[in-house]
Amino acid sequence: MNMKKWGAMAIAMLTSCTMWASAEAAPTVRITQIPLSIPEDYPAAAASVKFKTSGPTLLFSDSPEMVYHDGILYRDTVQGRVRLFFHHVNAVAGRKKLAVLLKNEGLRPMHYKLLQQGIDGPGYNYMEVGKESQRKYFAPHTQKQISGSLSFGRSFELLSGHGMLVDTDQLVTGTIDLEVDRQAQLSVFMCEPKADLELFDDSAAVQPMDEHPLRGTFAKSDWEYTLKRPIEGDKPVKLKLAGTDAAGYIKGVDKTTGLAAENYGNYGVIYKVNFTVASERPISFILNPIGGYFAGYGVLEHDGQRELLALPQYDLCLGETVEEAVELAKLKSGKYSFIWSPPGASNLPIELIWRASKSRFRK
């Protein structure tokens, strides 16, 4: 999605400030969720990191974002571990159906397993839909692994078994991790509510992208950063993610056209940031969405415990100004990992900041 366009449009459609519950804090982590104001020129040293990529192949389906015509929105042949990120709005008058179809085109039976997913919508509040899809993806109690097999020519619809009905101007977005043991065709498409999904999948044309080239297939969609030096609190440290600097954007191929593709925003990429706190004083762990309005979820890992964090907890979103930030937690000495993914309808990039907990710019 256009990171600026939909950030502004989603805010205009907000009807309330939603409060989100936080899980109970681990003994050595104090979840604070304190609003902050950080100057744009705040002096913090750029973190020195080790960077590596791994994980599933990512299929990204977001162009056309506003769907005006029935057809295939993205399609590729997959095998092994796969992650699908999709983000589409019904842009025509009347109800449509969005479907994600996994089809076996081989002669031998194909076995599949749905590993993890977070799907939300249809909804009119795009930022809320994007945030809730992230909560569902990262919350362990929402995960129900499903497995099955498909014979030659047979298919399985991944959203609900029969697709999702979407009214005018409603958004559906989500992330689905799956595994298939043989080659299979994975298609995202919009069609009439009563259309036969298998027949439509066989005959429909691939829709061209809109003005935003946001679709494609990308290898190794898990990005891991490990800070080389412990956080000691002597001076602030920051790390920018999902932007043009450092590792940049994940690159791949639009398999519907054969053209080079770049995932501006890294939607569908799962980030894991590993760091060590070595300080006698608590360290303030801060999220600053410097790209604009942002609403998501993440996970903080420490001592074998996983804390689900709303980003932010006290409101639907933050980032009205570049200075608006949130202290997520106060951290004692130890090893931590922060896991998150760019949410649909949110703006990027973000900065993570670590500093000694006392600060003059706290509200």
Side-chain angles (χ1 to χ4, degrees), residues 74 209 212-218 250-264:
Y74 193 66
M209 287 189 293
H212 307 291
L214 293 173
R215 72 181 185 194
T217 299
F218 308 87
I250 193 169
K251 296 176 176 61
V253 177
D254 178 353
K255 290 301 183 72
T256 67
T257 63
L259 298 175
E262 191 165 359
N263 183 343
Y264 299 103

Side-chain angles (χ1 to χ4, degrees), residues 34-314:
I34 298 173
L36 302 174
S37 180
I38 298 180
E40 189 172 359
D41 58 352
Y42 180 64
S48 178
V49 300
K50 296 179 181 178
F51 173 69
K52 71 175 183 178
T53 62
S54 61
T57 298
L58 170 66
L59 273 64
F60 178 33
S61 182
D62 183 35
S63 185
E65 179 180 20
M66 307 296 293
V67 182
Y68 291 96
H69 303 283
D70 293 351
I72 306 299
L73 306 176
Y74 193 66
R75 168 182 282 169
D76 194 7
T77 299
V78 300
Q79 185 174 4
R81 287 195 60 208
V82 180
R83 175 177 300 135
L84 170 67
F85 182 94
F86 61 95
H87 182 100
H88 295 289
V89 175
N90 173 17
V92 301
R95 183 171 290 182
K96 293 291 184 178
K97 179 180 284 186
L98 182 71
V100 177
L101 208 65
L102 182 68
K103 181 180 179 181
N104 180 14
E105 295 187 310
L107 295 177
R108 296 182 179 181
M110 181 270 292
H111 302 278
Y112 65 87
K113 182 182 293 185
L114 298 183
L115 304 173
Q116 186 171 353
Q117 59 185 314
I119 302 165
D120 199 62
Y124 296 108
N125 187 328
Y126 300 164
M127 192 155 285
E128 184 176 9
V129 171
K131 184 172 186 176
E132 180 65 6
S133 71
Q134 294 285 298
R135 185 194 66 80
K136 292 176 179 177
Y137 182 82
F138 286 117
H141 66 276
T142 66
Q143 301 303 324
K144 295 181 181 179
Q145 292 194 353
I146 300 172
S147 60
S149 61
L150 297 171
S151 58
F152 170 70
R154 303 304 297 174
S155 62
F156 176 65
E157 202 285 317
L158 302 185
L159 300 184
S160 68
H162 47 75
M164 296 182 70
L165 297 177
V166 189
D167 285 329
T168 305
D169 294 331
Q170 285 189 324
L171 165 71
V172 179
T173 189
T175 307
I176 302 174
D177 287 4
L178 66 151
E179 189 170 18
V180 294
D181 67 345
R182 297 184 184 278
Q183 284 195 346
Q185 180 180 269
L186 188 62
S187 303
V188 182
F189 56 83
M190 192 84 82
C191 62
E192 291 296 319
K194 294 184 179 180
D196 182 289
L197 298 184
E198 290 187 337
L199 292 177
F200 185 88
D201 185 55
D202 287 338
S203 61
V206 176
Q207 294 299 299
M209 287 189 293
D210 56 25
E211 67 273 23
H212 307 291
L214 293 173
R215 72 181 185 194
T217 299
F218 308 87
K220 297 183 179 180
S221 57
D222 288 346
W223 285 23
E224 186 171 2
Y225 295 75
T226 301
L227 273 63
K228 294 180 179 179
R229 298 186 59 184
I231 304 297
E232 298 178 339
D234 52 340
K235 59 182 179 179
V237 176
K238 65 181 178 181
L239 175 64
K240 183 182 290 187
L241 300 173
T244 56
D245 53 350
Y249 299 126
I250 193 169
K251 296 176 176 61
V253 177
D254 178 353
K255 290 301 183 72
T256 67
T257 63
L259 298 175
E262 191 165 359
N263 183 343
Y264 299 103
N266 279 353
Y267 297 98
V269 171
I270 303 298
Y271 286 84
K272 185 176 185 181
V273 179
N274 306 310
F275 60 95
T276 299
V277 173
S279 171
E280 295 182 357
R281 293 197 303 168
I283 294 296
S284 178
F285 182 46
I286 297 166
L287 170 73
N288 184 17
I290 59 177
Y293 286 110
F294 180 93
Y297 265 84
V299 173
L300 185 64
E301 294 184 337
H302 176 62
D303 281 347
Q305 300 187 47
R306 291 170 57 89
E307 185 80 16
L308 184 65
L309 300 178
L311 309 172
Q313 174 194 8
Y314 50 80

Side-chain angles (χ1 to χ4, degrees), residues 18 140 327:
T18 306
E327 179 187 85

